[in-house]
Amino acid sequence: MSDHGRSIELMVNGSTRNVVVSSSMTLLDLVRVKLELTGSKECCGEGECGACTMILDGVPVNSCLVLAVEADGSVVTTIEGIGTGGTTPLQESFLAAGAVQCGFCTPGMVVAATALLEHSPCPTEGEIRAGLSGNLCRCGGYDRIVEAVLMVSDCGGTDA
Amino acid sequence: MSGFAYHRPHSLTEASELLGRPGSVALAGGTDLLVSLRHRAISPVVVVDLKSVAEIGDQIEIDDGYLRIGARVVLAGLIRDENVRERFPALVAASSAIGSSQIRNRATLAGNLCNASPAADTAPVLLAHRARLTISGGEESRTVPLDEFFIGPGETRLGPGDIVTSVDLPIPATRVGSAFARVTRRRGMDLASVSVACVLDSSGFVRFGFGAVGPTPLVAESTLPALASDDGWDNLLAVTNPISDIRASASYRRAMLRVHSRRSLEAAVDELEAGS
């Protein structure tokens, strides 16, 4: 009885999308499988690693811990929705700082850091480390990631 | 995840009726529930999303001597709230210790309690502050002191159809000092091996909450004069009964519990003195 499709409507990266989802589908699977936006990664699947981070109604969340049906009527930004008009200063600073190693955590890091900077444009190193504590990098490339975010912090060094 | 029916009721009556059905579970932030679903630790027939129930508040209000935190309030909102920051700083500290910003943007305070983990980070400080829960059975509502709410790991006094609608904190009549401390294996994104909170009033009465040192979060009371001796501490901590598990051994927990209880009390004394 349970997994009959349910029709939902949500705004993803500025486009209204109408999709039929099963009740047990996560927002992450909806975005990756149904909408074929595969920038968001599934890694731990339980909210530990942040590779699936999306901005849901203005705040970063683990999309693996949100049911697609919960997002009915919501506004979602994925990594594909960041830098659509050319790379953002943050993305440029990731490149400049060499903040990408294997790249698997990078979409989640960029989304989480983008949300952090929207909320607090002038984070200190400590605030950046705390703000990104929900995003794991298995390569251990944290220093360069923090450096990249500091580069675009309004008071953290060079302005992008 | 196995299949289930998803409902998003708009009224408390409807939500309560759905949660009275066998095999139903409540969904608020989902940060614990989705993990259990994924691991098939639970296989509910019905998932009842409470986020559209208007009678379950998403605001923090002062009402009749209580700070009333609606059950839909997420931890990030709690941490930002001026009243909470001013009056209950240890609750801000405990809430900030939970997960990551991604988790705190979804997870609710009420959900942290209903999940009833012995290590629930917000439970010790809420116990120390004498929190109570307002629980609705659909038509009627009642209040339950938090220290009577937990029964065992994952078990609470909630019956079929019961829904926590708010977490209510009595606003202290006189100044208090409070503190929260926890021991974890790493600095972020970890469950507590031990957590402690205390609230000290100006008469020297102190109420502690303890996490991860028993089958439920625990509460114990003492006084500053009594805690001047080791016996006083032995008596205070006698309520705890830690086990050895993946995060820490029982003896390590016992040792850290004593250290951090003492430090919490010192911090509470400092806070009380700073404000007087």
Side-chain angles (χ1 to χ4, degrees), chain B residues 101-122:
Chain B
S101 67
Q102 287 96 322
I103 296 288
R104 293 188 297 272
N105 283 329
R106 295 293 287 176
T108 62
L109 181 68
N112 191 228
L113 300 174
C114 292
N115 191 52
S117 163
D121 282 301
T122 62

Side-chain angles (χ1 to χ4, degrees), chain B residues 150-193:
Chain B
F150 302 112
I151 298 174
E155 284 183 67
T156 70
R157 297 245 174 248
L158 289 177
D162 279 348
I163 298 165
V164 173
T165 56
S166 66
V167 180
D168 311 328
L169 284 164
I171 295 170
T174 58
R175 270 202 68 83
V176 296
S178 62
F180 169 76
R182 78 202 283 255
V183 178
T184 51
R185 295 163 299 175
R186 54 178 192 261
R187 270 176 293 175
M189 290 298 289
D190 201 0
L191 298 177
S193 302

Side-chain angles (χ1 to χ4, degrees), chain A residues 1-3 6 23-24 26 42 45-48 53 56 59-62 65-67 69-70 112 131 133-135, chain B residues 1-6 8 27-31 34-35 38-39 49 51 80 99-103 105-106 186 189:
Chain A
M1 58 166 271
S2 48
D3 256 1
R6 170 188 285 250
S23 53
S24 61
T26 63
E42 175 152 37
E46 51 186 33
E48 296 282 343
T53 301
L56 176 63
V59 296
V61 303
N62 296 305
L65 295 184
V66 178
L67 294 173
V69 284
E70 287 182 84
S133 68
N135 293 77
Chain B
M1 270 182 238
S2 56
F4 48 80
Y6 170 87
R8 189 164 184 150
L27 166 62
T31 55
L34 270 279
V35 177
R38 185 190 179 86
H39 291 166
D49 188 345
K51 286 191 286 293
R80 274 195 306 269
S100 58
S101 67
Q102 287 96 322
I103 296 288
N105 283 329
R106 295 293 287 176
R186 54 178 192 261
M189 290 298 289

Side-chain angles (χ1 to χ4, degrees), chain B residues 14-252:
Chain B
E14 196 189 344
S16 179
E17 189 275 317
L18 287 162
L19 284 170
R21 295 184 190 174
S24 64
V25 292
L27 166 62
T31 55
D32 285 312
L33 185 72
L34 270 279
V35 177
S36 298
L37 287 171
R38 185 190 179 86
H39 291 166
R40 294 178 190 252
I42 56 169
S43 302
V45 181
V46 181
V47 170
V48 185
D49 188 345
L50 301 175
K51 286 191 286 293
S52 294
V53 178
E55 297 127 295
I56 303 175
D58 62 355
Q59 302 290 317
I60 300 173
E61 299 160 333
I62 293 178
D63 176 22
D64 198 22
Y66 281 84
L67 184 82
R68 193 182 285 270
I69 302 162
R72 285 197 288 142
V73 171
V74 298
L75 295 172
L78 181 78
I79 291 163
R80 274 195 306 269
D81 185 85
E82 281 307 315
N83 272 316
V84 177
R85 297 186 74 84
E86 187 191 326
R87 295 167 194 269
F88 300 101
L91 178 58
V92 174
S95 303
S96 304
I98 294 182
S100 58
S101 67
Q102 287 96 322
I103 296 288
R104 293 188 297 272
N105 283 329
R106 295 293 287 176
T108 62
L109 181 68
N112 191 228
L113 300 174
C114 292
N115 191 52
S117 163
D121 282 301
T122 62
V125 61
L126 292 171
L127 285 167
H129 272 295
R130 301 177 187 280
R132 65 176 200 191
L133 303 177
T134 300
I135 297 173
S136 169
E139 305 292 332
E140 309 250 306
S141 80
R142 64 186 194 276
T143 59
V144 174
L146 188 62
D147 50 16
E148 294 172 16
F149 181 68
F150 302 112
I151 298 174
E155 284 183 67
T156 70
R157 297 245 174 248
L158 289 177
D162 279 348
I163 298 165
V164 173
T165 56
S166 66
V167 180
D168 311 328
L169 284 164
I171 295 170
T174 58
R175 270 202 68 83
V176 296
S178 62
F180 169 76
R182 78 202 283 255
V183 178
T184 51
R185 295 163 299 175
R186 54 178 192 261
R187 270 176 293 175
M189 290 298 289
D190 201 0
L191 298 177
S193 302
V194 169
S195 60
V196 183
C198 71
V199 176
L200 170 71
D201 72 20
S202 50
S203 74
F205 178 84
V206 58
R207 190 169 150 100
F208 280 88
F210 304 117
V213 286
T216 67
L218 299 167
V219 67
E221 297 174 342
S222 189
T223 63
L224 277 184
L227 294 177
S229 73
D230 283 343
D231 280 354
W233 286 101
D234 290 344
N235 291 337
L236 179 83
L237 301 175
V239 65
T240 63
N241 183 22
I243 58 167
S244 296
D245 68 7
I246 188 171
R247 285 191 289 283
S249 69
S251 62
Y252 181 73

Side-chain angles (χ1 to χ4, degrees), chain A:
Chain A
M1 58 166 271
S2 48
D3 256 1
H4 290 323
R6 170 188 285 250
S7 181
I8 64 169
E9 181 179 299
L10 66 170
M11 178 87 79
V12 180
N13 300 332
S15 306
T16 303
R17 309 296 296 259
N18 286 283
V19 276
V20 174
V21 298
S22 72
S23 53
S24 61
M25 176 177 266
T26 63
L27 174 60
L28 177 60
D29 282 340
L30 162 66
V31 166
R32 283 183 56 88
V33 179
K34 290 256 179 188
L35 305 183
E36 299 182 343
L37 298 171
T38 53
S40 309
K41 304 305 181 198
E42 175 152 37
C43 183
C44 73
E46 51 186 33
E48 296 282 343
C49 76
C52 67
T53 301
M54 296 178 192
I55 300 174
L56 176 63
D57 293 329
V59 296
V61 303
N62 296 305
S63 62
C64 71
L65 295 184
V66 178
L67 294 173
V69 284
E70 287 182 84
D72 191 9
S74 293
V75 177
V76 178
T77 302
T78 70
I79 185 64
E80 288 87 352
I82 292 172
T84 50
T87 49
T88 64
L90 177 69
Q91 289 169 322
E92 289 293 336
S93 73
F94 263 66
L95 294 172
V100 177
Q101 206 168 128
C102 85
F104 198 79
C105 74
T106 311
M109 287 285 182
V110 170
V111 173
T114 299
L116 173 71
L117 290 164
E118 272 173 22
H119 180 68
S120 142
C122 185
T124 62
E125 182 181 340
E127 286 165 349
I128 294 166
R129 288 189 184 273
L132 297 181
S133 68
N135 293 77
L136 302 185
C137 168
R138 288 298 300 272
C139 304
Y142 295 105
D143 284 350
R144 289 181 177 192
I145 293 167
V146 172
E147 187 188 324
V149 183
L150 267 175
M151 282 165 70
V152 291
S153 169
D154 276 354
C155 39
T158 54
D159 280 1

